[in-house]
Amino acid sequence: MVRFTAVLMCLLLFAVGATGQSTSEASHIGAGVGFYTYGTHWFYYNPSGTPGLREHYPVHVFSRTQVFGYYESSSLFSLGPIGVRLRGELHLGVAGGTKEDWLPVGETISSGGSTFGAAAGVKVGYRIGSSSSVSFTPYVFPSFHFTLLNSNGKDVGTQFASRAEYQYADGWDETLYGMALGFGINIELSSIVLVPEYRFFVAGGAATDWTPAGREPADDGPAFGAFVISVGFKL
């Protein structure tokens, strides 16, 4: 429902922009903050486990607040109000933890850990409502994302997650990579650009050094959803 609503709002904004003016040529640089929820899905088989309980489908849910710096180019080319730009970002996690979503009670499996990432893609925008002081450019942003998620293994829940087989207390890393899609709007003032956006994972993969019961789990598909907002200064 959230994805459908985001698509619908973007299409409506594009539709009402039929009287838009030419796209802005200014590049800008800035910083922002993103509120991310990542999910990784794994599979492993433990032949020494209890019969009937040897197949496992772990799900890890990461909540991460990330700050980032970015650069956005001027329009590479434009067709009337439609413009195409490049955008690149570097991410650093500042808060968050990890929970499991496959054992009976959804326990904490890490109280924190570092996060590093990067994103790069193409923004396709439609400039509307332009005036001498403010303009609006709704856009879509297909991009490639890479994120390294570390979990410190501290404050692991004691009901199920602390079992030695799961090795959560040792800490571990997971990486996500693949294509994401964002929907947002550039709000351009005289020298400042405000950029709120919702983005989500479309397709990709994951890898980990987590080895429950000494097994290397197979990737069963990652995901994320995020609300990000940034402030840039025109160059």
Side-chain angles (χ1 to χ4, degrees):
M1 179 59 71
V2 172
R3 295 183 183 182
F4 175 78
T5 301
V7 173
L8 181 60
M9 289 180 63
C10 190
L11 290 175
L12 288 172
L13 287 170
F14 272 56
V16 301
T19 59
Q21 300 178 18
S22 62
T23 56
S24 170
E25 294 298 326
S27 60
H28 45 100
I29 190 169
V33 61
F35 305 95
Y36 283 74
T37 299
Y38 297 92
T40 54
H41 300 73
W42 308 97
F43 168 78
Y44 75 93
Y45 180 77
N46 182 10
S48 63
T50 303
L53 298 175
R54 293 173 178 172
E55 295 183 339
H56 301 274
Y57 299 88
V59 178
H60 297 160
V61 180
F62 303 80
S63 298
R64 292 289 191 270
T65 300
Q66 299 171 201
V67 295
F68 61 88
Y70 80 91
Y71 170 77
E72 186 168 316
S73 74
S74 58
S75 296
L76 300 180
F77 62 88
S78 60
L79 181 62
I82 300 174
V84 177
R85 300 168 175 259
L86 297 178
R87 180 176 170 112
E89 301 174 353
L90 292 176
H91 297 195
L92 176 65
V94 294
T98 312
K99 291 182 176 291
E100 53 80 14
D101 192 24
W102 65 292
L103 299 174
V105 294
E107 294 173 278
T108 294
I109 52 178
S110 177
S111 61
S114 55
T115 305
F116 303 96
V122 177
K123 288 178 64 170
V124 181
Y126 196 116
R127 189 176 177 84
I128 63 175
S130 180
S131 71
S132 59
S133 59
V134 62
S135 63
F136 302 91
T137 306
Y139 65 81
V140 293
F141 180 44
S143 59
F144 180 83
H145 274 248
F146 176 86
T147 305
L148 170 63
L149 296 162
N150 168 262
S151 292
N152 60 21
K154 297 180 180 179
D155 299 322
V156 177
T158 57
Q159 290 185 265
F160 298 94
S162 59
R163 293 178 181 176
E165 173 188 341
Y166 303 141
Q167 298 185 357
Y168 286 133
D170 295 338
W172 74 98
D173 295 327
E174 299 185 31
T175 55
L176 285 75
Y177 49 87
M179 297 303 299
L181 189 62
F183 294 91
I185 184 168
N186 280 18
I187 305 170
E188 299 187 32
L189 307 175
S190 58
S191 60
I192 296 176
V193 184
L194 303 177
V195 190
E197 179 185 322
Y198 176 76
R199 61 181 63 167
F200 56 90
F201 219 41
V202 176
T208 183
D209 62 3
W210 179 57
T211 53
R215 307 289 168 178
E216 295 184 5
D219 172 31
D220 203 25
F224 77 70
F227 175 74
V228 300
I229 186 166
S230 57
V231 180
F233 300 89
K234 293 183 181 180
L235 301 177

